[in-house]
């Protein structure tokens, strides 16, 4: 079988930090080109836009879209129309419904559309899901607080409409939540804090539940300095589970039970290569739907302006 020849589109922080290394480490995948307005990689064909890549580039089978969510739908549509498999960074879109025509295009063309949720591939997520499956869950609390200046320096798009603000990392927690809980949850209330100069929230508190009335709360904050928190605490009838480090570590009643090196992006590319063999798609919109409902239901407050 020949390698899946992949072009990265949007060569920013996550492309550099994770995608290049993960593609290099994935059997059956080759990085074939980069399309990015300003950035390139030595020794690789470079194009300013995806249109130029598709028109004049070397032969490729797939694109990995690492651009901000607001521009990804049009890029995905162009790539699918050109017969390419498409991998989407999270969140899969700037809106929920914009994914529908992409899903249909991919199915018609028998090409893969893979909406990735990297945090679901963190090493303790599946052990947590398995542990919870045989317990009665009593409550869940998400504490997801990071310093936006450290993790998203100069990323103006995050504060624009469709950029999601604090939900850009918060949706990672929701992607884990929707994987580990046995029943679907939905949002019942939300409080969103918007900096007076921004179009997206800097902090959010969510109340969620499931059909059985499970109490679930989430605190997201981009203003955290000092220790950072990417934790999900689950109380059950037989112990308290703490999933910390964004899904990398699991402890039961304070005792560590699962911890492993981060292979999230390698897992994503392994899955992409596998999906592309048959042109199957994997698009789960559950985390994005929760964020959309938080915006629909959210009580808004204005807070002090954000200066990067
Ligand atoms: P980033 O550093 O801003 O990189 C995105 C790149 O896309 C930019 O460097 C830019 O490259 C290009 N771009 C920006 N605006 C564009 C536009 N209007 N049209 C076309 N290209 C544009 O952002 P990032 O942190 O890599 O995040 C990208 C996506 O990955 C986001 O959805 C984010 O949620 C997700 N993600 C990020 C992280 C993280 O830790 N940073 C982790 C997981 C997932 P050019 O100027 O060269 O075109």
């Amino acid at each position: 079988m020949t390698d899946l020849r992949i072009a990265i589109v949007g060569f920013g922080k996550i492309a550099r930090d994770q995608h290049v290394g993960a593609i290099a480490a994935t059997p059956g995948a080759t990085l074939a080109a980069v399309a990015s307005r300003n950035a390139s990689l030595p020794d690789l064909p470079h194009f300013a836009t995806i249109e130029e890549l598709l028109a004049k580039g070397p032969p490729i089978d797939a694109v990995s879209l690492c651009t901000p969510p607001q521009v990804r739908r049009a890029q995905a549509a162009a790539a699918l129309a050109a017969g390419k498999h498409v991998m989407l960074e999270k969140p899969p879109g700037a809106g929920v419904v914009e994914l529908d025509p992409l899903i249909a295009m991919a199915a018609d063309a028998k090409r893969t559309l893979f909406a990735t949720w990297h945090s679901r591939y963190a090493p303790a997520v599946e052990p947590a899901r398995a542990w919870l499956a045989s317990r009665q869950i009593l409550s869940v609390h998400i504490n997801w607080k990071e310093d936006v200046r450290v993790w998203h320096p100069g990323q103006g798009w995050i504060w624009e409409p469709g950029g999601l603000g604090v939900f850009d990392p918060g949706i990672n927690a929701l992607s884990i939540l929707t994987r580990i809980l046995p029943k679907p949850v939905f949002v019942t209330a939300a409080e969103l804090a918007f900096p007076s100069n921004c179009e997206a929230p800097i902090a959010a508190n969510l109340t969620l539940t499931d059909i059985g009335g499970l109490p679930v709360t989430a605190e997201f904050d981009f203003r955290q300095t000092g220790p950072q928190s990417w934790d999900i605490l689950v109380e059950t009838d037989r112990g308290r589970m703490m999933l910390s480090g964004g899904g990398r570590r699991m402890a039961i009643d304070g005792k560590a039970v699962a911890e492993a090196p981060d292979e999230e992006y390698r897992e994503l590319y392994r899955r992409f290569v596998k999906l592309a063999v048959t042109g199957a798609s994997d698009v789960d919109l559950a985390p994005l739907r929760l964020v959309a409902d938080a915006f629909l239901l959210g009580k808004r407050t204005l807070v002090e302006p954000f200066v990067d």
Side-chain angles (χ1 to χ4, degrees), residues 128-129 132-137 140 177-185 210 214 234:
R129 176 182 160 94
L132 289 173
S134 59
R135 281 166 175 81
Q136 190 194 347
I137 301 172
V140 182
L177 183 77
T178 48
R179 178 70 193 158
I180 63 174
L181 292 187
K183 292 184 197 144
V185 289
D210 68 4
L214 175 72
V234 185

Side-chain angles (χ1 to χ4, degrees), residues 12-14 36-39 72 89-90 155 157 168 265:
K13 185 173 188 313
I14 198 63
S36 204
R37 297 163 309 177
N38 301 295
R72 250 188 262 130
E89 252 299 351
K90 45 71 39 174
Q155 294 181 348
W157 57 264
D168 178 77
Y265 278 82

